[in-house]
Every structure is written in structure tokens, then in C-alpha cells.
DNA sequence: CTTGTTAGTGAGGTTTTTGCACATGAGGAG
DNA sequence: CTCCTCATGTGCAAAAACCTCACTAACAAG
């Protein structure tokens, strides 16, 4: 079989299954379902014309041919894996990232650890900054912002759509629960200096009036702490509270409404694969966040 | 980078390009266009965060990182390739195939060489036979027939749709060319004993009448020889004359009309991967034939 | 006989890859 | 310079590969 048509992915699935003994485990290793592994192996048996596994379904036995084949595959894949990892670790470079303050605290920094694991030699130098993007004057490699990206100024990749909604601590939910916006009247509404009209705009969308009398905080971060302490309800972008909602620390009784703005990562054109690797890592994380 | 997410196909494309020096050649080796290779490599640079090629577009230079990475990849892939080939060569078995006479001569046998190259240890024992398929009484592993397959009796895979049309040698085309069925009047129409009504059925489809006066041959094969010698025109299934038309030995002025029948490969259920390998090889060849 | 574990599969959807045609950029000839 | 050729880059649409889901099948253990 010519090298060009080697079914590499199927071979990897087979190698993994043979090494681990169960399709189940192989599926985990490959990050897919076992149905997928099953298909890959069946396909491989077909293209090679070799029976690879015998025995009852709940206890697979590799055939002799499989046993003879596996060691070389394991060796070959190991070799490739090592070489790739080595190459990745030799590439060092510093990436300067400018990111919205709250987003970096509540989304980016917690996830950066993963990036570091994958690209140990790429250092991320993070600056928090909410101002407009200007690559000519600033020396950032990547800038993460929210709004409508400027097509003319820089390359960019969309990360997620901005969506906001009221959040509050489950501890201060009124007895009757919260089923319509008016139920929020009993709860203090908290504000930030930077987006004073957050509640008003939301009220317009859902067609309600609510008293605008709660305390005003310097930063979104402090307001969120207050909300979690049960001091009131806040209008929050989904990305910034996603983790808290998943953990049950906050609830969002009316979900989140899209604002039409987007979070995006801007970067200079043709700035090299490390930057692109970082940006596509951002996209990957964003994709995971959406689900 | 975990083994499960190694971009194996991209790595293969890169290895090939680095080894051969040009994407062009790598594309040939992999059996794709260079656009595909270009994308694979660009994607690899992105996921690894490494610049792999430098220099002007018409003379790529691998970077240092690439040069360090390649040897291990080459070695790993070589190892895998060898192991797979060895495993395939150890699997010997004889497959008994029953095939329509003319089809085996004009389609299957010319292509079997390719199968032999890929599966050196699988022997194909070929019998020509036009009768109905009965696996219970006959000891074939695979039967290739034309008609409507019997879903209840056997497993099968469709190969191609039957389509027939008039063919003749370009040497005997009348001066005015052949643009409508009536132009065939000047040419003797040849027949076979096994499908005497071939011309009549076609005339019905295209709504013409033609004189039925040409010579009758014992076998399709002889008739085709006569056609190529310029003795007249014959009604021929497309698969059987495809190669001749491509080579310019025959022309088919009115194309081919589908008859509603299909060529198919029948085999016993669960007869093992060698049989399945053969059948999917048949399908692959059939797919190529269609284009 | 029921339950739990593991694999196989049909249908359907999503992602990835590819081919095509055109664009781009480098080097060389005139 | 400008034009030409060569090799790669890329937008788009189509095709292929791959995956998930939900369900089924086979076997083992209780």
C-alpha cells in the first residue's frame, strides 16, 4: 500500500484500541465516541483485507495478524508524537495580548493554563485594556475586544456573540420565584459606572419598567462579587458569568439576549503561525464556551 | 500534543513536501492537487505554531524547525507503511469470483493487475458465467452480474448502471458525420445471438426505425472486434466499450441510454474482510470507470 | 431473568478536505 | 520596465470523511 493512501486515522484508532484493550478507552484517548472507533476499525479491516479482532463483542481479542501489526504502529506513532512535541517546544516566542479587563479575569486567565500546556515555549504577556485597537501605535500582537470589528484595520476572528441578561444569587430569589421581569422589583438592581444604561436597554427589549435605584459600582468585577453575596441583581454579559451559572452560584432567570455586538480577537495580518496558533486556540476555547 | 489529536494527514503532507522539495511532487505522491497540500501545510503551521517553510513562493525553503522535525516523521511513517504492507502480504486466501463473460474480458481482467499489486497474497480465481446467482449450490465467494439484484438472496454492492448506445469505428463515419439516428442507415448494424433485440429496443427509445439486416455474431466479443475493424455499428453497454472510446478506437455518436438495470457484485453475508476488501476494490474501480 | 458492560449499526448531521479556477508573487527574457 | 512562466495561495462550492445519537446485539455476572 502506497504511503499516500495509508489510512492513518484508522490505523491510529486501531493502534489505540489494541494497546488499551477496549474500544471504549481508545475512544476516550482519541476524544470521540466508541461508535466512531468501531467504524474506523471496521473500515480498516476492509481496506487491509485483514481480520483484526476476534471474539465476543464484550471481550475483543486481537487476531495474530493484529498482534504482529501493532508494535510497529505504536512505535511509529510514538516517534511521530515525540518529534512533533519536541518541535513545538523548541519554538519560543512571546505574544503580547491586550484584553478587556473583566474578560481576562473571568474567561481568559482561567483558560490560559491550557494554552501553556500545549505550547510550553510560547509566553503570553497579558495587558488589560478596554480602549480601541490600534496596532500602529500599540505594540500588541493580539487584542480581544467587544463591539463591531473594523474590517479595514486588522485581521480578526469572531469569538462569541455578546448577550446580556439579569443574574442574581439563588439565595435571594423571592418566595414566588422569578417568572417575569416585574418580579425583579423586589430586588435591588446594581449598576456599573461604565455601562450605566445596561438595565434600561434591557427593560426596553423586554418591554418593562423597573426602578433604577440600586448602588453603582466602580468595576464590573466588584458588582459581580456583590451579586454573588446576594446584594442584588446585575445585568451581565453571558461570557462573564457562564462559569458561575454552571457552578450554581448565580442564576439567570430570563436567559440572555443578544446585543448584536461580538467579542473578537484582532491581530496583524501575516503575523506568523504562533499568533495564529494562539488565535485559533482562542476560537477553540470560545467554541467550548458556547455550548 | 496528545497522540489523539495529532494531525496525521497534515503531517504526512508536510513530510512528503519536505522530502520531495516541492508541493507539486508531494501532491502527486498523495494523489491530490497541490492546493490541497498547500492548505494542509498552512493548517499544520497553525496548529503547531511553527513556521515550516520560508522563502519565495516559487522556491520554498524548509525552516530549521522543519528540518529537525522531518527525519523523525519520515522514519515513523516508513515504519508504519512497512508494517502495514507486511501485514497485508501475510494474509493469503483465494477468492472465487464468477463474472459475466464479456465484462471480465473487457473490464475486470485488465484491472485485476491493480488488485494484485495491492493485495499480493490474495488470489482471485475467475470463472466466467452469465447464469443466475445461487450461493447455496455454487462455491463462489463473489458473483458479478447485471440485472436487478435479489435483496433476499445475498449481500451486494452496486457497481454501475447499465447504459447502452450505438458505437462504431471513427474510420467509417459517413462524410456528413452522424448527428441523428437516421444517419446510421448507411452503416450495417451488427447483432449478437444473446441480445437480438438490442437495436430494436434502442430504436424505440429514440423513436426511429432502422433496417435490421446486419450480420449476427456468436459473442459480443467478436462483434466488437468487427466494429473496430469498421464492419458496422453495434449496440454496446457502456462499460464494455469505455476504454475503446477513451482510446479513440470507437465513437458513440448518441451517447448511452440507461436501461434501468445495474451491474452489481453479490457475496455471502459476513464472509470476512478479504471478500469485503475485494468488493470495495470493485466499487472503487467502478467509481473510476464512471467518470 | 434481569442488569450491566461493551461493541455494532442505520440514519442523519457536521466538519474537513478537496478540486477548480483564478490570484499572487518571484525570477528571468527581451 | 513589461511580459511570461512557474510554483504556490485562496475563495467558493461540492464531496468525502467523520462523528454522534439512538438503538440493537452479545455476553457475563448476580
Amino acid at each position: 500500500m502506497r504511503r499516500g493512501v495509508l489510512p492513518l486515522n484508522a490505523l491510529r484508532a486501531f493502534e489505540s484500541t489494541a494497546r488499551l484493550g477496549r474500544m471504549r478507552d481508545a475512544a476516550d484517548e482519541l476524544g470521540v465516541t466508541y461508535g466512531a472507533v468501531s467504524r474506523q476499525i471496521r473500515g480498516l479491516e476492509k481496506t487491509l483485507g485483514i481480520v483484526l479482532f476476534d471474539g465476543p463483542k464484550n471481550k475483543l481479542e486481537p487476531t495474530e495478524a493484529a498482534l504482529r501489526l501493532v508494535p510497529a504502529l505504536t512505535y511509529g506513532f510514538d516517534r511521530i508524537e515525540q518529534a512533533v512535541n519536541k518541535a513545538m517546544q523548541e519554538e519560543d516566542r512571546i505574544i503580547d495580548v491586550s484584553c478587556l479587563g473583566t474578560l481576562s479575569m473571568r474567561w481568559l486567565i482561567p483558560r490560559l493554563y491550557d494554552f501553556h500546556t500545549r505550547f510550553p515555549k510560547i509566553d503570553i504577556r497579558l495587558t488589560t485594556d478596554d480602549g480601541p485597537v490600534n496596532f500602529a501605535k500599540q505594540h500588541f500582537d493580539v487584542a480581544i475586544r467587544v463591539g463591531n470589528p473594523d474590517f479595514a484595520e486588522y485581521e480578526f476572528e469572531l469569538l462569541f456573540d455578546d448577550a446580556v441578561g439579569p443574574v442574581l444569587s439563588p439565595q435571594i430569589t423571592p418566595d414566588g420565584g422569578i417568572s417575569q421581569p416585574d418580579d425583579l422589583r423586589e430586588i435591588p438592581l446594581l449598576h456599573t459606572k461604565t455601562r450605566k444604561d445596561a438595565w434600561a436597554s434591557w427593560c426596553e427589549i423586554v418591554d418593562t419598567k423597573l426602578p433604577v435605584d440600586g448602588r453603582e459600582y466602580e468595576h464590573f468585577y466588584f458588582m459581580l462579587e456583590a451579586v454573588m453575596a446576594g446584594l442584588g441583581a446585575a445585568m451581565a454579559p453571558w461570557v462573564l458569568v457562564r462559569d458561575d451559572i454552571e457552578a450554581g452560584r448565580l442564576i439567570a432567570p430570563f436567559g440572555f439576549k443578544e446585543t448584536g455586538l461580538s467579542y473578537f480577537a484582532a491581530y496583524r495580518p501575516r503575523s506568523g503561525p504562533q499568533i495564529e496558533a494562539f488565535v485559533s486556540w482562542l476560537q477553540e476555547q470560545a467554541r467550548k464556551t458556547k455550548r
Side-chain angles (χ1 to χ4, degrees), chain A:
Chain A
M1 174 167 279
R2 283 183 308 108
R3 176 200 226 99
V5 297
L6 281 178
L8 292 173
N9 293 318
L11 286 167
R12 167 166 58 189
F14 162 64
E15 188 269 343
S16 203
T17 305
R19 177 162 41 79
L20 300 171
R22 302 190 312 169
M23 288 194 188
R24 214 26 236 254
D25 295 338
D28 283 349
E29 180 169 279
L30 303 177
V32 296
T33 60
Y34 38 90
V37 177
S38 171
R39 281 165 200 285
Q40 292 276 23
I41 292 184
R42 210 123 312 277
L44 187 64
E45 289 191 329
K46 205 164 161 184
T47 47
L48 300 189
I50 302 177
V51 190
L52 294 171
F53 290 102
D54 259 354
K57 282 184 186 172
N58 61 346
K59 192 133 191 281
L60 290 190
E61 284 294 334
T63 59
E64 291 221 350
L67 290 173
R68 281 195 300 269
L69 176 57
V70 169
L73 293 185
T74 305
Y75 186 84
F77 284 126
D78 279 352
R79 190 82 186 225
I80 290 169
E81 189 183 359
Q82 284 163 22
V84 168
N85 284 325
K86 194 160 163 239
M88 285 175 76
Q89 280 163 29
E90 279 167 359
E91 282 303 294
D92 42 17
R93 127 138 229 192
I94 296 169
I95 300 181
D96 282 301
V97 179
S98 158
C99 181
L100 299 166
T102 328
L103 184 67
S104 71
M105 260 185 290
R106 303 198 65 85
W107 187 80
L108 182 55
I109 293 175
R111 286 167 174 78
L112 267 185
Y113 175 74
D114 174 81
F115 184 79
H116 227 86
T117 316
R118 288 206 225 169
F119 299 89
K121 287 281 182 162
I122 301 184
D123 271 346
I124 303 295
R125 211 151 56 184
L126 191 60
T127 314
T128 62
D129 180 2
D130 300 12
V133 181
N134 183 337
F135 283 113
K137 293 190 185 164
Q138 299 158 325
H139 64 306
F140 302 126
D141 298 305
V142 180
I144 303 173
R145 293 289 185 277
V146 66
N148 295 112
D150 181 343
F151 289 73
E153 279 295 305
Y154 38 69
E155 301 275 308
F156 67 91
E157 296 292 344
L158 293 177
L159 299 178
F160 18 66
D161 294 328
D162 186 33
V164 299
V167 296
L168 65 162
S169 164
Q171 297 160 12
I172 63 161
T173 309
D175 289 344
I178 296 181
S179 57
Q180 51 183 34
D182 271 354
D183 295 341
L184 288 170
R185 284 175 184 284
E186 305 171 31
I187 297 169
L189 305 188
L190 311 185
H191 305 265
T192 56
K193 288 206 166 154
T194 43
R195 280 175 82 172
K196 287 173 198 277
D197 60 340
W199 276 104
S201 335
W202 184 77
C203 286
E204 244 175 62
I205 296 174
V206 299
D207 198 26
T208 321
K209 284 230 163 192
L210 286 174
V212 185
D213 57 352
R215 204 185 139 182
E216 194 175 284
Y217 290 82
E218 280 296 320
H219 289 299
F220 185 85
Y221 179 75
F222 297 128
M223 179 173 72
L224 215 53
E225 289 298 318
V227 172
M228 280 194 270
L231 302 186
M235 186 58 48
W238 181 57
V239 260
L240 302 184
V241 294
R242 176 186 177 274
D243 293 346
D244 300 307
I245 289 173
E246 278 218 333
R249 291 188 293 269
L250 292 180
I251 56 171
F254 306 110
F256 295 84
K257 305 277 177 205
E258 300 210 345
T259 63
L261 304 179
S262 303
Y263 287 81
F264 60 92
Y267 56 101
R268 295 174 217 273
R270 290 178 302 285
S271 40
Q274 289 100 342
I275 304 293
E276 293 198 339
F278 177 66
V279 173
S280 39
W281 175 83
L282 282 174
Q283 281 194 291
E284 187 193 320
Q285 298 301 318
R287 219 174 336 108
K288 282 188 200 163
T289 305
K290 271 181 204 160
R291 305 273 152 91

